[in-house]
């Protein structure tokens, strides 16, 4: 196929790719494992691979099923393929693909009705009612008396069990082996799971997790359906394969049958969803299952400066979970990374604000700045500090803290007090209200379930109020008004850009010019709940994800003491922020240009105007550089910096 400029469309797809990306793109239909480090052009590589296979006739676009873990990623993949002139590729999440196939083949399932009916069709909150009813039956209590936190914990365990492809009969033993600690006995969860399954079957409805198992079972049991699906899809691509769970793998195996036309892309260093059931070994052991698989390592990080990449590499060096070669920073030199210590968390917040203000003053757009933290409740004080300093803030997932049920309840009770006795002391009233809703600041619940999340949310509110100036909190009327104002700010459009405050988990897949990793202490990062070697390894990977969100500016902050005076210890991961002495320099030292005598053909360099390139000729004080899509240019050596 020709593109009218003398070159083939396939050659055009390869233009501008580096050597490793090209290797991944031109690899045969499968099996292929692409180990894509942070910032190495993962999505670019897999979309160009799909386009190249289509244009060369290896696999037509309509014969590819590209599977992702989020609708956003699927949409981005479709958009990029469209820009490459390739249509017809099905890019969907696992669940969306399963639902589409079930709708088409529904009669073959033998289940009643004309198609799958999702549980939400029974109205908003239908699944919650089913779960509450199941718990009530097991606990032998009216459903209305079942605590909401137990329903939330049951939902979490159902999600984990479904991801691990476990039946209710298998759940209890597997959950105990995995160290699961919901806010109830494992036997209670297993019993409620059985009741819930029976209730769904009686009502003829499926929940979200049922889509995968039902579709996989259909393909496993019906040869005609399986043959039809396998005839339609000749090859499969799976994005973020490190996040794939056993239930998704079962469906993928059913799609494949006895074929191996599978390409997976992922980064074991960014595997942070084991708590949801993801199984990193699927990526790590891909070549065990497919000994003849082609493995391509993408290591050239085009996202971040050398300083940021160095931190990421030191963080994972020598760790079994690093599973791949070190990244090579391609963005060139940048500011030194920094670790900033506050005396206490209030002082740390002030230092976070000062850091963000400095970046804004230097011209970094607010939407290119993020403050990342480990736990949801930590966002409260950080967001308040930024907003009180006049910095616009937005939550990465759009969730509003002040809309949480327990927080909204406290606000409503404060409003009632303010209407009756507006001048009553705010601290006294808040203490009464928190006691009324069952919050004891000295008795946090065990575990990580919904009860602990509720306690954390209320404790964050108490801590926030304790740090506010007396003018805002002297009376219950003043406090109620201030909290209502903060709740309104949670919903107010941020205007011309805003700084993102997000958990590290929610930040995965995103990137910013400047990132603060806040609350970098023992017990926070790594989490106090990480007690096994597997859990602590995942915490380190979470720190790696946080670091690699930054393109240019990276600062970690921690406090020497918590609110209330208890001493803190710095996160062990902060040692990775310490650059070797040989590279010491001021944060904004400019890169040092090289003379032609030190440049060699084949060397990777960067130019202040044309960007990244490779030296192809050196002579008489000039250098000829291949800038990829920017073409070859002969430039003065004084404007060249080696990488």
């Amino acid at each position: 196929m020709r593109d009218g400029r003398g070159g083939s469309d396939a050659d055009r797809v390869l233009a501008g790719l580096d050597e490793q990306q090209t290797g991944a793109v031109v690899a045969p239909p499968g099996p292929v494992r692409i180990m894509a480090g942070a910032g190495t052009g993962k999505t670019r590589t897999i979309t160009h691979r799909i386009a190249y296979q289509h244009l060369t006739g290896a696999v037509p676009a309509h014969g590819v099923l590209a599977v992702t873990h989020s609708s956003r990623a699927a949409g981005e993949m479709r958009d990029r393929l469209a820009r490459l002139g390739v249509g017809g590729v099905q890019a969907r999440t696992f669940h969306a693909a399963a639902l589409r196939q079930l709708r088409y083949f529904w009669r073959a399932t033998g289940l009643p009705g004309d198609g799958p009916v999702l549980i939400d069709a029974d109205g908003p909150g239908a699944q919650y009612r089913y779960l509450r009813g199941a718990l009530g039956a097991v606990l032998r209590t009216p459903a209305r008396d079942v605590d909401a936190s137990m329903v939330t914990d049951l939902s979490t365990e159902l999600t984990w069990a479904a991801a691990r492809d476990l039946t209710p009969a298998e759940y209890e033993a597997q959950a105990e082996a995995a160290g699961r600690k919901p806010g109830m006995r494992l036997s209670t969860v297993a019993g409620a799971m059985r009741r819930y399954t029976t209730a769904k079957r009686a009502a003829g409805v499926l929940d979200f997790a049922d889509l995968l198992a039902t579709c996989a079972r259909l393909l496993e049991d019906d040869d005609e359906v399986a043959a039809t699906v396998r005839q339609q899809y000749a090859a499969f691509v799976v994005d973020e394969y490190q996040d794939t769970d056993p239930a998704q793998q079962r469906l993928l195996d059913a799609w494949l049958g006895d074929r191996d036309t599978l390409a997976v892309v992922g980064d074991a260093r960014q595997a942070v969803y084991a708590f949801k059931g993801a199984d990193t070994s699927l990526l790590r052991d891909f070549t065990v299952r497919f000994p003849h698989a082609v493995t391509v390592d993408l290591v050239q990080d085009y996202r971040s400066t050398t300083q940021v990449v160095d931190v990421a590499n030191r963080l994972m060096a020598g760790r079994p979970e690093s599973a791949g070669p070190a990244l090579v920073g391609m963005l060139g030199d940048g500011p030194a990374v920094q670790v900033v210590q506050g005396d206490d968390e209030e002082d740390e917040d002030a230092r976070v604000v000062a850091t963000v203000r400095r970046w804004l003053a230097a011209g970094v757009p607010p939407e290119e700045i993020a403050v990342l933290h480990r736990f949801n409740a930590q966002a409260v004080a950080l967001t308040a500090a930024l907003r009180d300093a006049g910095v616009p803030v937005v939550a990465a997932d759009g969730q509003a803290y002040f809309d949480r049920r327990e927080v909204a309840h406290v606000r409503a009770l404060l409003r009632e007090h303010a209407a009756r006795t507006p001048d009553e002391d705010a601290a006294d009233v808040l203490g009464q209200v928190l006691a009324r809703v069952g919050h004891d600041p000295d008795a946090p619940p065990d575990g990580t379930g919904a009860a602990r999340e509720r306690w954390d949310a209320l404790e964050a509110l108490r801590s926030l109020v304790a740090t506010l100036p007396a003018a805002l909190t002297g009376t219950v009327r003043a406090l109620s008004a201030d909290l209502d104002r903060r709740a309104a700010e949670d919903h107010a459009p941020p205007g011309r850009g805003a700084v993102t405050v997000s958990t590290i988990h929610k930040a995965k897949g995103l990137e910013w010019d400047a990132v603060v990793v806040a609350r970098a202490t023992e017990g926070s990062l790594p989490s106090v709940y990480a007690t096994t070697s597997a859990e602590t390894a995942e915490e380190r990977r979470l720190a790696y994800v946080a670091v690699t969100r930054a393109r240019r500016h990276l600062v970690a902050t921690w406090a020497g003491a918590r609110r209330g005076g208890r001493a803190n210890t710095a996160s062990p991961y902060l040692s990775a922020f310490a650059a070797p002495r040989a590279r010491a320099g001021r944060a904004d030292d400019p890169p040092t240009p090289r003379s032609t005598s030190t440049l060699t053909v084949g060397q990777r360099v960067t130019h202040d105007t044309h960007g990244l390139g490779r030296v192809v000729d050196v002579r008489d004080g000039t250098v000829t550089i291949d800038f990829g899509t920017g073409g070859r240019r002969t430039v003065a050596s004084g404007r060249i910096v080696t990488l």
Side-chain angles (χ1 to χ4, degrees):
M1 300 175 67
R2 313 297 289 183
D3 64 2
R5 293 177 296 175
S8 71
D9 287 338
D11 288 342
R12 176 175 54 82
V13 167
L14 295 178
L17 299 177
D18 65 35
E19 184 178 350
Q20 292 78 30
Q21 291 170 341
T22 300
V25 167
V26 303
V32 177
R33 179 179 65 173
I34 304 169
M35 303 291 274
T40 58
K42 167 181 66 71
T43 305
R44 174 182 172 85
T45 300
I46 57 176
T47 52
H48 280 240
R49 172 180 168 80
I50 292 169
Y52 183 81
Q53 288 188 320
H54 168 70
L55 294 169
T56 57
V59 181
H62 60 78
V64 177
L65 178 58
V67 193
T68 72
H69 290 273
S70 73
S71 298
R72 179 180 62 82
E76 181 181 358
M77 195 178 297
R78 289 192 294 268
D79 289 344
R80 292 202 186 200
L81 286 166
R83 290 198 293 271
L84 290 170
V86 178
V89 175
Q90 297 294 317
R92 302 181 182 279
T93 65
F94 276 99
H95 291 87
L99 179 59
R100 181 183 175 89
Q101 291 176 21
L102 284 175
R103 283 172 173 162
Y104 188 84
F105 295 110
W106 185 252
R107 290 188 178 180
T109 66
L111 296 172
D114 298 324
V117 177
L118 294 179
I119 199 167
D120 289 343
D122 285 353
Q127 185 178 33
Y128 183 89
R129 293 193 296 273
Y130 275 81
L131 295 175
R132 200 168 199 173
L135 275 171
V138 172
L139 298 172
R140 298 182 180 179
T141 187
R144 64 177 180 274
D145 294 336
V146 174
D147 188 87
S149 64
M150 294 184 68
V151 180
T152 301
D153 287 341
L154 174 59
S155 178
T156 299
E157 293 306 291
L158 278 169
T159 299
W160 179 81
R164 306 299 297 179
D165 204 20
L166 301 175
T167 65
E170 297 167 330
Y171 164 79
E172 193 170 349
Q174 293 290 327
E176 183 174 6
R180 304 290 294 184
K181 297 177 182 178
M184 65 195 94
R185 293 179 178 176
L186 297 179
S187 59
T188 300
V189 175
M193 287 175 63
R194 284 189 287 270
R195 296 274 187 170
Y196 174 65
T197 301
T198 300
K200 284 188 300 176
R201 188 179 298 117
V205 296
L206 303 176
D207 64 19
F208 201 54
D210 291 329
L211 295 175
L212 302 185
T214 305
C215 188
R217 190 162 51 248
L218 173 62
L219 291 167
E220 291 162 353
D221 295 343
D222 193 311
D223 292 340
E224 185 176 346
V225 170
T228 303
V229 171
R230 292 167 191 164
Q231 184 177 11
Q232 179 179 3
Y233 297 119
F236 299 85
V237 174
V238 184
D239 189 17
E240 300 284 10
Y241 193 59
Q242 78 278 354
D243 295 335
T244 300
D245 60 47
Q248 293 165 336
Q249 184 64 47
R250 177 186 174 189
L251 178 56
L252 180 60
D253 289 341
W255 286 334
L256 278 168
D258 59 1
R259 300 171 297 172
D260 61 5
T261 48
L262 170 66
V264 301
V265 59
D267 183 3
R269 288 164 288 198
Q270 296 189 66
V272 294
Y273 288 115
F275 69 96
K276 287 186 175 181
D279 186 354
T280 313
S281 70
L282 294 172
L283 175 65
R284 186 182 62 242
D285 298 337
F286 188 80
T287 54
V288 174
R289 179 180 179 187
F290 299 108
H292 58 301
V294 173
T295 293
V296 181
D297 294 321
L298 303 185
V299 299
Q300 297 189 127
D301 183 341
Y302 298 97
R303 173 190 298 162
S304 305
T305 64
T306 302
Q307 285 80 358
V308 173
V309 171
D310 284 350
V311 173
N313 284 336
R314 286 195 293 269
L315 190 60
M316 302 304 290
R319 301 283 167 174
E321 64 268 25
S322 64
L327 294 173
V328 178
M330 303 299 291
L331 195 60
D333 211 21
V337 298
Q338 296 180 334
V339 175
V340 176
Q341 180 184 351
D343 295 334
D344 54 25
E345 289 182 355
E346 189 172 356
D347 185 39
E348 181 188 356
D349 294 345
R351 293 171 185 268
V352 169
V353 170
T355 299
V356 170
R357 278 179 157 173
R358 186 173 66 254
W359 287 337
L360 292 171
V364 181
E367 63 271 18
E368 287 294 345
I369 299 174
V371 178
L372 307 183
H373 51 86
R374 177 64 178 85
F375 298 113
N376 286 319
Q378 292 171 333
V380 182
L382 292 164
T383 297
L386 288 164
R387 283 184 173 152
D388 288 350
V391 177
V393 175
V394 65
D397 58 359
Q399 291 185 343
Y401 163 77
F402 287 98
D403 281 352
R404 287 184 61 105
R405 178 182 302 181
E406 60 273 11
V407 177
H409 188 197
V410 169
R411 287 174 49 219
L413 293 175
L414 288 174
R415 215 175 289 119
E416 291 176 7
H417 273 272
R420 294 195 308 268
T421 54
D423 296 327
E424 196 170 352
D425 181 77
D428 290 344
V429 174
L430 180 62
Q432 296 169 24
V433 168
L434 289 173
R436 178 175 170 182
V437 299
H439 179 71
D440 183 347
D442 298 319
D446 293 331
T448 59
R452 179 56 191 250
E453 286 188 7
R454 179 181 185 276
W455 185 92
D456 285 340
L458 293 175
E459 185 61 15
L461 180 65
R462 189 184 72 83
S463 297
L464 170 66
V465 172
T467 65
L468 295 177
L472 298 178
T473 62
T475 66
V476 65
R477 174 172 53 190
L479 175 59
S480 179
D482 184 66
L483 294 180
D484 285 346
R485 174 184 64 81
R486 294 177 188 277
E489 287 176 344
D490 266 356
H491 294 282
R496 293 190 309 160
V499 172
T500 298
V501 176
S502 171
T503 64
I504 302 171
H505 278 103
K506 294 286 173 53
K508 186 172 177 289
L510 304 175
E511 59 188 73
W512 294 269
D513 281 348
V515 169
V516 176
V517 183
R519 303 293 192 262
T521 61
E522 281 275 13
S524 177
L525 189 67
S527 165
V528 66
Y529 303 115
T531 57
T532 67
S533 59
E535 289 168 342
T536 54
E538 181 150 321
E539 290 294 308
R540 181 174 289 272
R541 295 196 295 269
L542 199 60
Y544 174 88
V545 168
V547 165
T548 54
R549 297 314 91 197
R551 298 191 192 101
R552 182 170 176 79
H553 304 275
L554 176 63
V555 171
T557 67
W558 70 286
R562 306 178 195 177
R563 300 185 194 279
R566 288 176 295 172
N568 266 337
T569 302
S571 168
Y573 308 145
L574 293 184
S575 62
F577 282 67
R581 291 186 179 182
R583 300 201 54 165
R586 292 189 307 162
D588 296 307
D589 281 348
T592 303
R594 296 295 185 94
S595 68
T596 55
S597 62
T598 64
L599 295 173
T600 59
V601 173
Q603 195 168 19
R604 281 283 187 176
V605 297
T606 184
H607 184 272
D608 56 7
T609 299
H610 304 302
L612 298 169
R614 187 187 299 275
V615 175
V616 295
D617 189 39
V618 180
R619 66 179 67 187
D620 299 327
T622 62
V623 185
T624 302
I625 301 172
D626 186 349
F627 291 101
T629 55
R632 292 191 175 193
R633 297 176 183 271
T634 299
V635 297
S637 63
R639 300 176 70 187
I640 301 300
V641 177
T642 57
L643 299 180

